[in-house]
Amino acid sequence: MEERERVPGGSERDTERTCHHTYEKLLPGLRDLDALLKGAGVSSVEELFADIPPELRIQGCALPDGMAECELVEHMRRLLCANKTSRDILSFLGAGYYRTYIPAAVKAVTSRSELYTAYTPYQAEASQGMLQALFEFQSMVCELTGMEVTNTSMYDGPTALGEAALMAARITKKKEIIIPRSLHWEKAEVLRTYARGPGLRVRELPFDLRTGKTDWSSLKGMLGADTAAVVVSNPNVFGVWEEEAPELRGIIGDALLIADVNPLSLGIARAPGDYGADIVVGEGQPLGNPLSFGGPSFGILATRKRFVRDMPGRLIGMTRDAEGRRAFCMTLQTREQHIRRAKATSNICSNEALCAIAAAAYLSVLGRRGLRQLGISLATKARELARALGRNEGIESPLFEGSHFNEFVIRSSVSMKSVCAHAARHGILAGVRLRPRYPELGFSLLVTVSEAHTREDFERLASVLRGVRE
């Protein structure tokens, strides 16, 4: 690569660069299109794509001429500069995906070549380090959730919930799943999609408009002989704790209790296994995985040992080799590729190995005390921000009386669309609008705090919202 010389006389010419790594060098066959077409047995590009109906073809692409690799890299960098990340803008977005500080040690672990794969190794027993890392992940999730077994992760939180519903139907031989309306709407949609194939019915419990908690008083009337499972989301989509969750086990009888959790909350909340949950699911992204255009992330699915053969996914176990040394192996993988299809628990048994290992590293670095301190910090900051916003005229904050974790709902007399647009002009993403999903809440917004937020951030948001007018 070389730079052009300066223009004599002092003026400076643009630092235009030329690159020797042209596409002609990288793909020399492209020099002779006619030869390529002849080799394909056609006389033109049109003939090459003749099998595609004309109405489905793109009539030309407005693409620039080909660039050399180094020019393309610079071009893409310039385009990417238009993106704003959570580091560039003050963000209070959450609703399932959360920004947490990721210690450098996590990246150091996940960058190691022996672990750097998004997939479970197929020569499993030859990858003892990977298996041990996943075994450690399973052990930590079991401790965190209070359950006895967990798999090595699912695609994400919503698919973990869908798989849990199918699992409950297999175990109970029943066809009905009861979910709260305060379950995250995307999780509910994925669950309904899962339920469509096997013909499961999904019924919905209302929530209390005053507290934001699920109205469990109507649960008894909804339970029937065909109820396979009841889902509790704790904290729910409004960030509110479902404090009655420990009482559900005694109400639902033979139906299974599925707990959907925010894993960050388990540093300060009671483990679902301690109050009788049969299956615990959750979105694992907050555990050491960054926000990255919505993914990749991973799902948590843990359960009781007696249900292990109905659990989808892979299970890593610890054993002894022929010489008595500690070893790790794939203990269970009820995948349709390995067993009879009719016996498979799921057609997705893949896992997000690297994300799960990041979670194991994250939990190892934080430790029990660190996770608890993080939970306390998030809950404290959320209350502080709620009070700060509540001092603004025309804003109800927090909207619900129920105690909340790291996020809460506010309501304004002004359209939240206007509020968010106003805040965005001041470099702030104020939150997630709820009116499209919960019109009964009026102009409402879900606001989330992270450990990185400061009091100055809170005052900045409060000040900007103070200036909103119709």
Side-chain angles (χ1 to χ4, degrees):
M1 190 167 61
E2 56 189 19
E3 288 187 1
R4 287 188 176 182
E5 297 179 352
R6 286 179 178 275
V7 177
S11 64
E12 186 173 329
R13 180 180 291 178
D14 291 342
T15 57
E16 184 177 349
R17 296 164 183 261
T18 58
C19 179
H20 297 302
H21 301 289
T22 63
Y23 73 90
E24 291 177 335
K25 283 190 175 181
L26 298 173
L27 299 169
L30 292 181
R31 292 174 187 162
D32 193 347
L33 182 60
D34 291 339
L36 288 175
L37 293 174
K38 186 178 179 181
V42 296
S43 58
S44 67
V45 173
E46 284 295 314
E47 187 179 349
L48 183 64
F49 295 108
D51 290 339
I52 302 175
E55 63 272 19
L56 297 181
R57 293 185 220 165
I58 298 173
Q59 302 302 317
C61 296
L63 295 175
D65 293 337
M67 298 179 185
E69 181 180 328
C70 57
E71 294 169 342
L72 179 61
V73 169
E74 290 301 319
H75 176 69
M76 294 305 296
R77 281 179 180 160
R78 284 194 294 273
L79 292 178
L80 289 171
C81 285
N83 294 326
K84 299 295 182 186
T85 72
S86 56
R87 293 190 184 89
D88 306 317
I89 193 166
L90 180 57
S91 173
F92 294 92
L93 301 180
Y97 285 82
Y98 305 105
R99 180 188 175 194
T100 55
Y101 177 75
I102 302 174
V106 175
K107 189 173 183 181
V109 170
T110 54
S111 299
R112 294 185 63 89
S113 59
E114 63 267 39
L115 301 176
Y116 196 67
T117 173
Y119 213 61
T120 306
Y122 272 107
Q123 294 181 318
E125 278 63 40
S127 305
Q128 285 294 299
M130 169 67 85
L131 293 186
Q132 181 175 357
L134 293 173
F135 180 83
E136 300 292 349
F137 164 77
Q138 293 174 177
S139 302
M140 293 177 195
V141 170
C142 284
E143 187 174 355
L144 203 59
T145 58
M147 304 304 282
E148 295 163 336
V149 293
T150 183
N151 61 26
T152 56
S153 77
M154 308 296 292
Y155 282 150
D156 55 23
T159 55
L161 178 60
E163 292 289 345
L166 297 188
M167 187 176 156
R170 282 195 301 271
I171 292 170
T172 62
K173 314 296 183 193
K174 297 176 180 177
K175 290 281 190 177
E176 184 177 273
I177 309 293
I178 297 178
I179 64 172
R181 181 161 160 68
S182 56
L183 176 68
H184 193 293
W185 55 89
E186 291 178 351
K187 291 180 179 178
E189 287 179 9
V190 171
L191 189 151
R192 287 192 174 92
T193 302
Y194 265 81
R196 194 172 302 146
L200 305 184
R201 293 184 302 279
V202 179
R203 300 177 69 191
E204 201 172 78
L205 280 163
F207 64 87
D208 189 311
L209 287 170
R210 181 177 57 82
T211 65
K213 295 188 285 189
T214 300
D215 182 5
W216 298 108
S217 64
S218 53
L219 176 60
K220 283 186 179 177
M222 293 176 68
L223 290 170
D226 207 26
T227 302
V230 175
V231 177
V232 57
S233 182
N234 199 17
N236 63 29
V237 71
F238 308 128
V240 174
W241 295 108
E242 295 284 2
E243 293 162 343
E244 292 80 5
E247 302 168 15
L248 296 178
R249 181 69 273 169
I251 297 174
I252 64 175
D254 295 335
L256 300 188
L257 179 61
I258 300 174
D260 170 57
V261 299
N262 175 350
L264 292 178
S265 72
L266 296 180
I268 57 174
R270 192 175 170 189
D274 293 345
Y275 56 77
D278 298 290
I279 306 171
V280 180
V281 296
E283 171 55 60
Q285 176 273 325
L287 302 178
N289 287 273
L291 296 171
S292 181
F293 290 95
S297 59
F298 73 95
I300 291 170
L301 195 153
T303 187
R304 304 285 179 187
K305 190 175 179 180
R306 61 181 181 275
F307 300 138
V308 67
R309 289 197 170 276
D310 286 290
M311 181 180 70
R314 294 184 171 97
L315 184 67
I316 309 300
M318 187 169 69
T319 183
R320 297 281 174 186
D321 67 8
E323 299 176 359
R325 297 172 301 186
R326 188 180 72 164
F328 298 90
C329 63
M330 285 218 181
T331 304
L332 193 69
Q333 45 181 337
T334 52
R335 191 178 194 184
E336 60 185 6
Q337 291 173 336
H338 302 295
I339 62 177
R340 281 181 295 166
R341 186 170 187 173
K343 295 289 185 182
T345 54
S346 170
N347 67 341
I348 62 163
C349 288
S350 299
N351 68 292
E352 301 273 14
L354 191 62
C355 296
I357 291 173
Y362 179 82
L363 290 171
S364 299
V365 172
L366 260 67
R368 187 190 301 269
R369 180 179 298 178
L371 191 63
R372 175 173 169 74
Q373 289 174 340
L374 175 60
I376 292 172
S377 172
L378 292 173
T380 304
K381 286 190 173 187
R383 284 198 295 272
E384 185 178 344
L385 177 57
R387 284 196 295 269
L389 299 182
R391 287 193 283 270
N392 283 1
E393 186 179 353
I395 291 183
E396 298 175 73
S397 175
L399 174 61
F400 296 122
E401 295 178 3
S403 56
H404 51 80
F405 178 45
N406 64 330
E407 48 196 343
F408 57 93
V409 179
I410 66 173
R411 182 162 61 190
S412 169
S413 55
V414 182
S415 164
M416 279 300 174
K417 194 172 182 179
S418 303
V419 170
C420 292
H422 178 76
R425 286 194 290 272
H426 288 77
I428 299 174
L429 298 176
V432 177
R433 289 189 298 125
L434 294 177
R435 187 177 173 83
R437 297 290 176 177
Y438 300 96
E440 65 269 41
L441 296 182
F443 297 134
S444 54
L445 193 72
L446 184 66
V447 182
T448 305
V449 301
S450 77
E451 62 197 298
H453 283 133
T454 64
R455 287 183 177 174
E456 289 72 24
D457 296 332
F458 297 164
E459 289 303 321
R460 192 176 155 199
L461 177 63
S463 174
V464 166
L465 297 192
R466 209 172 294 136
V468 180
R469 296 287 183 273
E470 287 282 10

